[in-house]
Amino acid sequence: MEGNALFGQWTFGGEGLIPEQQRKQLGDHRIASFQWPFDSVRGYFINLSSHPAYEDFRRIRAERKAAGKPLRSLDLAEGLKNYSERGQKYVDTLKRVIRVNKLDIADDAVFRNEAMRFVLGAADSAAAEKLRTQIEAMRKSGEIEKIIARMRLE
């Protein structure tokens, strides 16, 4: 949860969270931190879609698509052996987490083609008014548009 690091992606170059068990032989690696949870999801998406270590993941995905088969999380997980130094043990753990928590229910999820919406909450009316003011300032400065642009997975 710290740093919105939902997937524990590594980064090098001195930025990010220092892991509790820093492996000196791997240099100064860190855990990438993100401003928003969705930035972590986007980073993970880009990582799986582009890094050479996840070629198997992309191959499995492409083969299933070409064969007209649905994309299933338990099948795609097999392409993530290189995501962790634990290799197949990581994949087995990931698949167990998917099964136990019934996360494969999301395998058939699709994005609806509709306007993006954000739901924000506030503790009381004073906090709500402060939030409205902050949102309006973000609109005027263009910050909201930048956030929305970062959220696109295209």
Side-chain angles (χ1 to χ4, degrees), residues 19-91:
E20 287 181 23
Q21 298 175 350
Q22 178 71 273
R23 295 169 186 95
K24 301 287 185 206
Q25 71 276 18
L26 298 175
D28 183 22
H29 71 282
R30 308 284 177 105
I31 305 298
S33 62
F34 301 90
Q35 184 176 4
W36 301 88
F38 193 87
D39 292 336
S40 180
V41 173
R42 184 175 191 277
Y44 185 65
F45 176 84
I46 291 169
N47 195 13
L48 293 182
S49 297
S50 61
H51 196 284
Y54 312 117
E55 181 87 19
D56 285 346
F57 173 83
R58 294 189 296 277
R59 179 188 47 76
I60 293 167
R61 184 177 60 190
E63 288 172 355
R64 293 192 67 80
K65 281 184 174 183
K69 294 180 179 177
L71 298 179
R72 299 282 178 223
S73 54
L74 293 170
D75 298 324
L76 293 171
E78 285 297 328
L80 297 177
K81 288 181 184 92
N82 292 328
Y83 195 78
S84 166
E85 57 195 24
R86 295 178 54 227
Q88 187 61 47
K89 288 182 181 180
Y90 168 78
V91 170

Side-chain angles (χ1 to χ4, degrees), residues 66-128:
K69 294 180 179 177
L71 298 179
R72 299 282 178 223
S73 54
L74 293 170
D75 298 324
L76 293 171
E78 285 297 328
L80 297 177
K81 288 181 184 92
N82 292 328
Y83 195 78
S84 166
E85 57 195 24
R86 295 178 54 227
Q88 187 61 47
K89 288 182 181 180
Y90 168 78
V91 170
D92 295 342
T93 299
L94 178 60
K95 290 169 80 170
R96 193 167 29 258
V97 167
I98 291 169
R99 282 190 198 101
V100 167
N101 294 291
K102 298 179 174 62
L103 299 176
D104 55 343
I105 192 171
D107 285 353
D108 297 319
V110 294
F111 291 110
R112 289 190 279 178
N113 188 15
E114 62 182 36
M116 196 179 301
R117 296 185 176 117
F118 297 91
V119 177
L120 303 172
D124 54 42
S125 58

